[in-house]
Amino acid sequence: MTTVKTIIRDAPVEVCRPWLRYDLRHDAWTSLARAAATEGQVLLALWADTMKVHALFLDHADLTIVAVSTSAADGWYPALSPVLPAASLFERMIHDLWGHRAAGATDMRGWLDHGAWLLSHPMATRPGPPVQPDEPHHIDPDDAMILPLGPIWGPLDEAAHLRLALDGPWILQAEVRLGFTHKGTLALMQGKSPRIAARFAARLSGDATVAHSVAFARATEAAMEIQAPPRAVALRIAMMEIERVAGHLDTLGEVARLAEAPVARSQCGLLRETLLRASDTAFGHRLMMDCVVRGGVAADIATPGPHAILRALGDIASQLPGIRRLHDAPSLSSRLVGVGRAGGALAASLGVGGVAGRASGVAFDSRNGFMPEYSRFAPRVAVRHDGDAAARQHLRIFEIEESLRLIGAALGDLPDGPVTVALAPVSGEGIGCAESVRGTVWHWLRLDHGQIAAVFPADPGWGLWKLAERVLEHAVADDIDLIRASLALPASGMDL
Amino acid sequence: MSPTSPPEPVDPAALDSLRARLDEAAQTRLGRSLAIRHINTGSCNGCELELRALHTALYNLERFGLRFVDSPLHADVLLVTGPLTRNLKAALEQARGATPEPRWVVAMGDCAVDGGVFRGSYAVLGGAGVAVPVDLTIRGCPPAPAMILAGLRTLLEANSK
Ligand code: SF4
């Protein structure tokens, strides 16, 4: 039988630390997609450079990663989307940025390119003339009412466009279009040193700035075969967990607001603000933007930092039971139970992790298995199976509690020593990851004498929006905002 | 947790120029309150996080007569965040067109001020000022809630003269 393992066994390899990357002929690339689908392997990311298309797979069973590539030198490569639906949005993005066509793809409409740029395929060796704005709709059922939403959404939301086909209050079909906040980030990172490019990694997604910065730094460090010093590693853990607590509090509060639970909302908001002020004291920035650098962290924690953070954690710990009780009370729980239910098989097949995945039974958290620095703290990961907004709220509360413990442990036992190592301008390729507030972020990059030759950051949004389309299809239109907040659907991180 | 934060001082230079503009407009309809519509023109969402923080009781927006509204139709102020992406230029222009006069545009965050780190990208035009006249800028990446509040109060002070 053809399995992923037998397909890659004889393929030529390139070193992509900490793994290998297998170079597949087009036929093997297609067989691998089929084998991966059969074996339940998950497509984590699909991206390109000027010559090749690359894919990252995860085998849940034995927690292994498989990185593969195939040629796009003739301007095309075999599509993965017919067997792996998770590939579809990536294929549209790859065509927009590099011009490589996914032959046989289920959908080749524009994604990032809305016809407003002065060129097309900006990442190609030779970009083309601008494309015509396309009609981005598949949905046009005859008897249904069409409800377009966005791209400018409710106040304080990210930009996204949703097109819904309604039957009375029910959503029959949902179709998402993103790319509005596309900032040309990959082109800005390319050709720069990782030190400079880190500013863009930190600005992919503000609420995951630490996670993206850590994943980018780890990819750089892998490519360079160096490791950040122990003190920096511990400080990074503290920052990542603080970001998780702040992000979860933000989502808890937003969902509570939309579910008309003002007390829970304002409690979460106040606790989050307390934590952001403590972060400012400790690390010099409320969101800890630019605080992680390749080779370590930008600066040591300020002297009053640990005390300020521990005090904020104390506030949160003392109020968390009350927030949990509010969620258990009928007024809030009846509003959340059954809303935005995501099936486990669907979430798994789309590579959805994070809270959305874990609330639907997908027991994946990159801190266990892919971030060895966490092993001495043994993070506990909870999984639920209801897959609805209520399950996600409860999971967030659990994860905050666990993060409080991890921050305390990391800061309580801070190793002495430097917070950065010196780096040489070497060549190499690496992958790094970090567990962000909404799932794992994966960064890949190739360095050429210390400069970025190619780079790709994969945000959890790619899988989440595919999941959201399916989740919305069983929902009532009045729940759209609640579902969106509950899944913590992002835009900027995947708009690149 | 600290009590309600003390209001930051307003910038006198910005205040003067705003007063001058307001006299020109000879409008008094705003009084001592401002309805604000937030418009995201390509933000990384960091600026939105600080806007949400501004909504907590610690900053007491109502005390200053500041409120956020859902539609440009009911807004006095468009509060723009993010670099102006080519893909959102039309959306910003539409929002401004839908906002009744006198309207104020505040560019919040380094990106909305001049494109920030994204300046020069093929996908970014620059700051909000490329597409619409900007009345006030609030720098920072992202600006902390206290800075946002100070900026918005500058508008209020100009109004209530
Ligand atoms: S100013 Fe900073 S926080 Fe605000 S959108 Fe730009 S990068 Fe993000």
Side-chain angles (χ1 to χ4, degrees):
Chain A
M1 201 184 99
T2 339
T3 65
V4 169
K5 286 206 173 69
T6 58
I7 294 168
I8 59 175
R9 197 176 46 206
D10 302 319
V13 297
E14 295 192 46
V15 175
C16 175
R17 294 191 167 85
W19 299 295
L20 297 173
R21 186 165 53 73
Y22 299 88
D23 236 322
L24 303 180
R25 292 197 323 266
H26 281 171
D27 55 342
W29 167 267
T30 307
S31 315
L32 183 118
R34 267 195 228 104
T38 317
E39 293 167 34
Q41 293 214 16
V42 168
L43 180 74
L44 294 174
L46 183 67
W47 72 98
D49 56 35
T50 50
M51 299 299 292
K52 285 179 184 170
V53 175
H54 313 286
L56 198 65
F57 287 93
L58 164 72
D59 189 341
H60 271 301
D62 56 1
L63 283 189
T64 50
I65 292 283
V66 177
V68 292
S69 309
T70 200
S71 170
D74 296 328
W76 70 278
Y77 64 100
L80 300 183
S81 51
V83 280
L84 297 166
S88 173
L89 299 183
F90 288 113
E91 289 171 352
R92 293 166 70 181
M93 173 272 293
I94 288 172
H95 184 248
D96 283 350
L97 291 186
W98 287 276
H100 309 321
R101 194 161 270 286
T106 52
D107 191 345
M108 274 318 281
R109 292 169 300 157
W111 178 251
L112 299 178
D113 190 345
H114 298 189
W117 309 338
L118 300 179
L119 75 182
S120 57
H121 316 311
M123 301 297 291
T125 319
R126 271 190 299 279
V131 301
Q132 291 299 312
D134 54 355
E135 264 296 299
H137 317 311
H138 264 178
I139 297 185
D140 247 338
D142 291 340
D143 316 315
M145 199 184 106
I146 302 293
L147 175 66
L149 292 171
I152 304 282
W153 209 283
L156 314 193
D157 276 327
E158 293 200 75
H161 176 69
L162 259 185
R163 197 171 155 84
L164 306 167
L166 301 183
D167 178 11
W170 297 96
I171 301 170
L172 296 176
Q173 258 184 302
E175 185 183 355
V176 65
R177 177 78 189 262
L178 260 64
F180 295 94
T181 69
H182 176 70
K183 299 183 258 300
T185 302
L186 301 188
L188 290 167
M189 292 175 89
Q190 211 160 285
K192 297 202 170 73
S193 70
R195 184 177 67 85
I196 304 287
R199 290 160 66 206
F200 300 102
R203 283 160 183 78
L204 281 160
S205 184
D207 54 9
T209 177
V210 176
H212 272 291
S213 297
V214 168
F216 177 75
R218 287 166 49 101
T220 309
E221 289 154 13
M224 293 181 161
E225 289 187 273
I226 56 154
Q227 283 192 330
R231 187 175 177 86
V233 167
L235 288 172
R236 283 180 183 179
I237 289 180
M239 287 189 228
M240 283 187 280
E241 297 306 319
I242 289 170
E243 179 171 83
R244 185 177 337 280
V245 174
H248 281 352
L249 284 170
D250 187 42
T251 306
L252 285 172
E254 269 304 284
V255 170
R257 175 178 74 84
L258 293 162
E260 281 159 47
V263 177
R265 180 220 178 174
S266 72
Q267 263 186 352
C268 292
L270 286 174
L271 291 173
R272 175 173 168 270
E273 179 61 14
T274 314
L275 186 59
L276 296 192
R277 290 182 184 189
S279 303
D280 196 20
T281 305
F283 301 108
H285 193 286
R286 288 162 52 91
L287 308 180
M288 298 166 288
M289 214 173 235
D290 303 322
C291 291
V292 173
V293 298
R294 81 280 181 265
V297 293
D300 207 341
I301 188 167
T303 315
H307 179 68
I309 289 179
L310 294 178
R311 264 189 52 191
L313 301 191
D315 282 347
I316 297 169
S318 69
Q319 293 193 39
L320 217 46
I323 293 175
R324 181 178 278 132
R325 271 197 302 280
L326 286 171
H327 279 84
D328 285 332
S331 57
L332 186 48
S333 76
S334 65
R335 183 69 188 88
L336 300 178
V337 169
V339 170
R341 197 185 291 279
L346 179 65
S349 74
L350 292 172
V352 173
V355 169
R358 291 190 284 272
S360 301
V362 181
F364 180 74
D365 185 321
S366 61
R367 291 176 297 174
N368 289 332
F370 294 100
M371 303 189 75
E373 63 267 43
Y374 270 97
S375 59
R376 74 183 171 116
F377 302 114
R380 287 178 301 160
V381 174
V383 173
R384 288 183 157 243
H385 296 274
D386 307 339
D388 58 4
R392 290 189 285 270
Q393 292 289 87
H394 277 286
L395 211 50
R396 288 187 175 106
I397 294 170
F398 170 87
E399 292 194 0
I400 289 173
E401 243 169 12
E402 180 62 1
S403 293
L404 297 182
R405 181 182 75 80
L406 295 172
I407 301 163
L411 291 181
D413 180 23
L414 213 48
D416 288 329
V419 294
T420 45
V421 287
L423 308 174
V426 297
S427 301
E429 187 178 320
I431 294 181
C433 72
E435 189 67 16
S436 84
V437 66
R438 51 174 75 82
T440 314
V441 298
W442 298 90
H443 280 233
W444 167 88
L445 58 74
R446 190 162 59 226
L447 295 175
D448 184 6
H449 297 92
Q451 296 216 313
I452 294 176
V455 61
F456 188 77
D459 190 82
W462 293 101
L464 275 173
W465 273 106
K466 289 293 281 183
L467 182 75
E469 281 184 338
R470 302 287 301 276
V471 166
L472 284 170
E473 280 169 9
H474 310 285
V476 289
D478 285 347
D479 286 344
I480 291 170
D481 285 329
L482 193 55
I483 292 171
R484 186 176 179 192
S486 170
L487 289 172
L489 293 170
S492 181
M494 57 186 292
D495 273 350
L496 302 168
Chain B
M1 197 181 291
S2 66
T4 305
S5 54
E8 302 265 324
V10 300
D11 173 11
L15 192 57
D16 283 348
S17 76
L18 283 165
R19 277 196 178 128
R21 269 212 48 214
L22 198 78
D23 288 344
E24 263 169 52
Q27 289 281 355
T28 50
R29 118 181 148 73
L30 307 185
R32 271 205 67 91
S33 95
L34 285 180
I36 302 161
R37 172 60 160 109
H38 160 249
I39 304 284
N40 173 352
T41 60
S43 153
C44 79
N45 85 29
C47 280
E48 285 69 27
L49 291 176
E50 291 299 45
L51 280 175
R52 278 224 268 275
L54 188 64
H55 279 68
T56 61
L58 288 175
Y59 295 100
N60 207 345
L61 282 179
E62 295 73 25
R63 174 175 57 147
F64 299 109
L66 298 169
R67 65 202 160 84
F68 281 76
V69 295
D70 285 357
S71 162
L73 293 173
H74 308 125
D76 308 308
V77 178
L78 292 183
L79 182 62
V80 184
T81 57
L84 182 61
T85 64
R86 289 186 182 272
N87 288 348
L88 281 169
K89 176 168 178 270
L92 174 61
E93 288 165 347
Q94 267 169 28
R96 180 170 183 276
T99 312
E101 302 255 17
R103 59 196 161 199
W104 305 82
V105 176
V106 178
M108 172 194 150
D110 289 349
C111 285
V113 173
D114 61 8
V117 299
F118 301 104
R119 227 175 337 169
S121 161
Y122 63 85
V124 167
L125 288 160
V130 174
V132 300
V134 169
D135 300 293
L136 182 74
T137 57
I138 304 173
R139 280 215 168 262
C141 180
M147 300 305 298
I148 307 170
L149 188 55
L152 294 175
R153 282 187 53 236
T154 316
L155 275 184
L156 275 175
E157 302 283 321
N159 262 333
S160 63
K161 198 198 87 162

